[in-house]
Amino acid sequence: MLSKSSKQGDREFKNEVRLLAPLQHRNLVKLVGFCIKGGERLLIYEYVPNTSLNHYIFDHINHEHLDWETRYNIIGGIVRGLLYLHEDSRIRVIHCDLKLSNILLGEDMNPKIADFGTARLFVKGQTQGDAKTIVGTDGYMASEYVNQSRFSVKSDVFSFGVIVLEIVSGQKIGSFWNGDNAEDLLSYVSKNI
């Protein structure tokens, strides 16, 4: 349910429905339905029993459920979902807000990319786009997106890199790192983990 205090509005809600409805992949959350009635906005997803990845990575008790093989399989599933969005689906989608809380875990800890409210659609042959407004989560956004309003497949790849570092380290890299580029991020991580 879209919270009354949410910064997302009708545009983001409709964007998620429009983009997610035609996409079918085992590593993307499946949209079952939606409802718009008065001020209420509801998205109905498939049931995903294991909540989001951040619940496991950053929780002192639940992180013990993620052995290295499981973490490796989760990373591989996220890659397959991104590859589908970027290359294999009928439409090319740039997620623009990839982070641990937007990775839901299904049965057998199968990762499913969720929350397509800020996603962007590319037309055939398009490799980058310019955003009118910057939306996303600090620390997960690539510098060319933040500084020049340019987004591309590379924007999602940068966010994925932050996710991998968080999965491996168990620390919230994205929430407190404020650098300019990938080299700064790697330098920061090597000094602080």
Side-chain angles (χ1 to χ4, degrees):
M1 179 171 14
L2 187 64
S3 167
K4 302 274 190 224
S5 62
S6 173
K7 293 178 185 173
Q8 290 189 341
D10 283 343
R11 183 184 60 173
E12 290 87 356
F13 181 85
K14 290 175 183 174
N15 188 53
E16 183 149 4
V17 171
R18 181 176 57 91
L19 288 177
L20 197 52
L23 299 175
Q24 300 292 318
H25 191 274
R26 73 181 301 260
N27 296 112
L28 302 181
V29 69
K30 188 181 298 181
L31 180 67
V32 177
F34 66 95
C35 178
I36 300 174
K37 185 176 181 182
E40 300 272 11
R41 304 287 182 267
L42 300 170
L43 292 173
I44 305 163
Y45 291 132
E46 66 180 302
Y47 177 67
V48 185
N50 290 313
T51 70
S52 66
L53 184 54
N54 69 333
H55 179 74
Y56 285 89
I57 296 296
F58 302 134
D59 185 277
H60 296 297
I61 296 169
N62 287 324
H63 82 275
E64 294 176 8
H65 296 313
L66 295 181
D67 58 23
W68 288 110
E69 182 179 357
T70 304
R71 291 172 194 237
Y72 177 80
N73 291 335
I74 288 170
I75 291 168
I78 298 168
V79 168
R80 285 189 297 280
L82 281 176
L83 184 61
Y84 174 77
L85 290 173
H86 295 165
E87 299 294 332
D88 296 336
S89 70
R90 292 176 297 161
I91 56 176
R92 179 178 273 184
V93 177
I94 309 302
H95 190 279
C96 291
D97 196 22
L98 201 60
K99 57 188 175 182
L100 288 182
S101 61
N102 287 340
I103 306 296
L104 304 180
L105 297 171
E107 291 199 44
D108 301 323
M109 304 303 275
N110 178 49
K112 295 179 177 280
I113 300 170
D115 193 354
F116 287 79
T118 59
R120 311 294 174 122
L121 177 65
F122 274 3
V123 296
K124 188 173 183 164
Q126 184 180 4
T127 58
Q128 69 179 17
D130 295 315
K132 293 178 183 153
T133 57
I134 304 299
V135 291
T137 303
D138 289 338
Y140 293 92
M141 295 183 288
S143 60
E144 67 271 8
Y145 182 55
V146 173
N147 297 329
Q148 300 165 3
S149 301
R150 295 229 150 154
F151 62 92
S152 69
V153 168
K154 294 176 185 177
S155 306
D156 281 352
V157 172
F158 180 88
S159 301
F160 171 73
V162 174
I163 287 172
V164 169
L165 290 171
E166 290 180 328
I167 290 172
V168 171
S169 70
Q171 294 187 31
K172 290 185 181 189
I173 311 277
S175 64
F176 58 82
W177 175 74
N178 243 353
D180 289 327
N181 58 43
E183 289 95 23
D184 290 343
L185 176 59
L186 291 174
S187 175
Y188 175 85
V189 168
S190 66
K191 292 175 186 171
N192 292 289
I193 294 181

